[in-house]
Amino acid sequence: MNKGTDYERKQEELTWLENLQRNSWEPEVIISGITLAFLFVFPAKIYEFSVYLIQEVGVGYLPSLLILFYLTTVVSVFKIFFVVHLCLRFVWAGLLGLSYAFPEGVINKNLFKMAQDYEYQKPADMVLRLEKVCSMTFAYPVSLVLVFLTFTVYLGLLIGIYVWFDLNFFIIYVIFMVSMIGFMALTFAKKKTKLKTWYTQSMLNSISAIYQSNIGKWLAVVYAFLIFAFSTPIIISDTQDFTTFSNDRGLIEKELEWSAKYLHYETEHDFNTRYPRSFIPSEEISDDYLRLGIARYEGDGKIIEQLNTDFAKELDSLGWKTLEETADLHRVYIDEELVKIDSWSKHRIGTTKQKIYQTGIDISNLENGTHSLRVQKLLLEYGFVDNEPTLIILNQWDQFQFVKR
């Protein structure tokens, strides 16, 4: 009796699974469509999150850049995967309609004489063959979710330790590299251990083994490589101008020659994004007072005390203003003439609630026409390995032009 019941239950499970497999295209298309809708929104959020880490949390530029590239790569790769899947499903739907309209396929005698002696594929065969390709294409990125999820949690833990304990990034780098080397050693080790057995039998490794053994190990690798290659232009586009948020470097020649207006003028700027450096209301100023804003970086506050103590003599020799706020790290020049700034006001602006310093500059003495505004910044540069500070002056921390009317 029990054997009969078990057999019936097993047959029901097999029938249920077969029905799901036959109708898998429905959830595949729905999931791909919904996921793509979210994926096209994420890059802007990832970009703003990475900038937030630099300006508000005080995370260094390098770890923030790595976070941006990693998360953008994940999103871009999944974009390509799901776009390819939907395109294949589009072709599959066309073949499905073709198989319904012409189930017998090619009628050789109705072709031109030169094409009558060849054999052609049946529409139903093409539908079934492409169905397997579509399902395989959909399953591949889903399997990568486990990889990226595990890796993201691990990276998040490392960054959390780095921020919480205010460690040198070199320490986190060493921990990451040691852990990666250890993982690679475990993966390629010939000795059979309990840990390797557990990893081999995990869902993640089992899915990878299924692909390698059925479609070919090198084909699986080449397919993944091509997806990453196709996602490269998207990654470059989604990370554009992030270097301007590198607080500890001056502008390079290309940025000076081809300055981006939307980074300096409020009239050109997107209200939902952050300013990387300094900005004014518009390119053309018709008032006698110029309102200048400067982005605040949380990391600057960590060096004020050290500058006032360990580098007091250097500050005196430079004739630098007494450092009380992070705004005092900046000097402003108009047409290479130092502007005296008595005070800065603090504000939060935009939907991002970005912290900025703001001041008013009297430009009544300037003639009508084009003028240059340059911001000089004082910072400490720490060694990547020894973490020893060095005083640096970024003469062209920011520079742009405005027109007085």
Side-chain angles (χ1 to χ4, degrees):
M1 183 68 180
N2 288 337
K3 289 183 179 180
T5 305
D6 291 341
Y7 177 77
E8 291 177 2
R9 186 184 298 114
K10 194 169 184 179
Q11 288 299 112
E12 289 176 359
E13 291 175 352
L14 289 173
T15 303
W16 174 77
L17 181 60
E18 288 173 356
N19 288 332
L20 282 180
Q21 290 172 335
R22 279 195 292 266
N23 298 300
S24 65
W25 68 271
E26 295 177 347
E28 283 180 21
V29 172
I30 293 172
I31 292 172
S32 290
I34 294 175
T35 303
L36 272 177
F38 280 102
L39 289 179
F40 278 99
V41 176
F42 278 161
K45 300 298 182 183
I46 293 171
Y47 192 98
E48 286 301 310
F49 173 70
S50 301
V51 175
Y52 173 85
L53 290 178
I54 297 175
Q55 292 186 334
E56 303 293 335
V57 182
V59 176
Y61 172 74
L62 181 57
S64 298
L65 179 65
L66 294 176
I67 291 171
L68 173 65
F69 264 100
Y70 169 70
L71 294 179
T72 303
T73 300
V74 172
V75 171
S76 301
V77 166
F78 278 103
K79 273 185 189 177
I80 298 297
F81 270 126
F82 287 119
V83 166
V84 169
H85 172 255
L86 286 179
C87 289
L88 288 174
R89 277 297 174 190
F90 177 79
V91 177
W92 173 84
L95 291 177
L96 190 64
L98 188 67
S99 67
Y100 175 76
F102 307 107
E104 298 300 323
V106 178
I107 302 175
N108 288 53
K109 66 180 182 179
N110 293 338
L111 295 175
F112 288 104
K113 199 165 186 179
M114 66 179 67
Q116 290 180 1
D117 296 332
Y118 297 93
E119 291 185 5
Y120 299 91
Q121 296 185 47
K122 297 286 186 182
D125 294 337
M126 290 189 288
V127 170
L128 292 175
R129 191 176 293 110
L130 190 56
E131 166 68 26
K132 292 181 179 179
V133 174
C134 290
S135 296
M136 180 199 71
T137 305
F138 178 77
Y140 200 97
V142 172
S143 67
L144 290 180
V145 169
L146 298 173
V147 179
F148 287 130
L149 184 60
T150 303
F151 202 65
T152 302
V153 170
Y154 179 61
L155 283 180
L157 179 63
L158 288 180
I159 295 297
I161 294 172
Y162 163 72
V163 174
W164 184 263
F165 294 101
D166 194 21
L167 299 175
N168 182 6
F169 186 68
F170 178 73
I171 298 175
I172 300 299
Y173 174 78
V174 170
I175 294 174
F176 176 77
M177 292 305 298
V178 169
S179 60
M180 289 297 100
I181 292 173
F183 176 76
M184 295 298 293
L186 171 67
T187 304
F188 293 104
K190 295 182 179 180
K191 186 177 180 181
K192 190 174 182 180
T193 62
K194 290 184 178 180
L195 184 60
K196 187 172 182 180
T197 301
W198 170 82
Y199 171 73
T200 303
Q201 294 177 348
S202 65
M203 182 183 296
L204 173 62
N205 197 66
S206 296
I207 293 173
S208 177
I210 289 172
Y211 272 100
Q212 291 182 25
S213 60
N214 283 275
I215 69 173
K217 54 189 178 183
W218 289 113
L219 181 59
V221 172
V222 170
Y223 176 62
F225 175 79
L226 289 176
I227 293 295
F228 275 89
F230 285 132
S231 66
T232 300
I234 301 177
I235 297 170
I236 295 173
S237 175
D238 290 341
T239 57
Q240 189 176 14
D241 286 330
F242 189 74
T243 54
T244 57
F245 293 93
S246 178
N247 183 41
D248 57 355
R249 74 163 182 86
L251 298 179
I252 59 176
E253 185 177 348
K254 182 181 179 181
E255 292 168 331
L256 290 170
E257 183 180 1
W258 298 94
S259 60
K261 289 188 175 183
Y262 68 92
L263 299 178
H264 297 116
Y265 310 122
E266 292 179 22
T267 52
E268 306 279 348
H269 190 74
D270 183 356
F271 192 69
N272 298 312
T273 59
R274 290 171 170 263
Y275 289 98
R277 304 198 176 195
S278 57
F279 58 94
I280 58 177
S282 63
E283 185 177 8
E284 297 185 1
I285 305 297
S286 57
D287 197 357
D288 287 338
Y289 278 88
L290 175 65
R291 177 165 53 84
L292 174 66
I294 289 184
R296 181 184 185 275
Y297 284 81
E298 183 67 28
D300 291 350
K302 301 175 183 179
I303 68 172
I304 294 292
E305 183 178 352
Q306 190 171 11
L307 280 170
N308 285 330
T309 55
D310 299 347
F311 296 89
K313 292 182 179 180
E314 287 85 346
L315 293 180
D316 289 339
S317 64
L318 292 170
W320 209 277
K321 180 182 177 181
T322 303
L323 302 178
E324 296 177 358
E325 298 276 0
T326 56
D328 297 328
L329 295 170
H330 307 85
R331 275 179 172 175
V332 179
Y333 295 82
I334 294 182
D335 296 335
E336 297 306 316
E337 290 290 331
L338 180 63
V339 177
K340 183 181 179 182
I341 297 176
D342 296 323
S343 63
W344 295 88
S345 58
K346 302 175 182 179
H347 303 278
R348 282 183 176 270
I349 60 170
T351 57
T352 61
K353 307 300 180 185
Q354 179 182 3
K355 293 178 182 178
I356 66 161
Y357 289 105
Q358 192 170 293
T359 191
I361 300 174
D362 184 2
I363 58 171
S364 58
N365 62 323
L366 295 181
E367 297 180 355
N368 290 346
T370 302
H371 301 274
S372 175
L373 187 149
R374 179 169 65 90
V375 180
Q376 188 182 58
K377 188 161 187 176
L378 186 72
L379 282 176
L380 290 180
E381 185 177 57
Y382 292 89
F384 185 69
V385 178
D386 58 15
N387 205 34
E388 286 296 318
T390 303
L391 183 68
I392 59 172
I393 300 176
L394 304 176
N395 290 316
Q396 291 176 318
W397 185 75
D398 202 7
Q399 184 172 330
F400 57 91
Q401 294 180 332
F402 67 93
V403 180
K404 185 186 177 185
R405 295 297 184 190

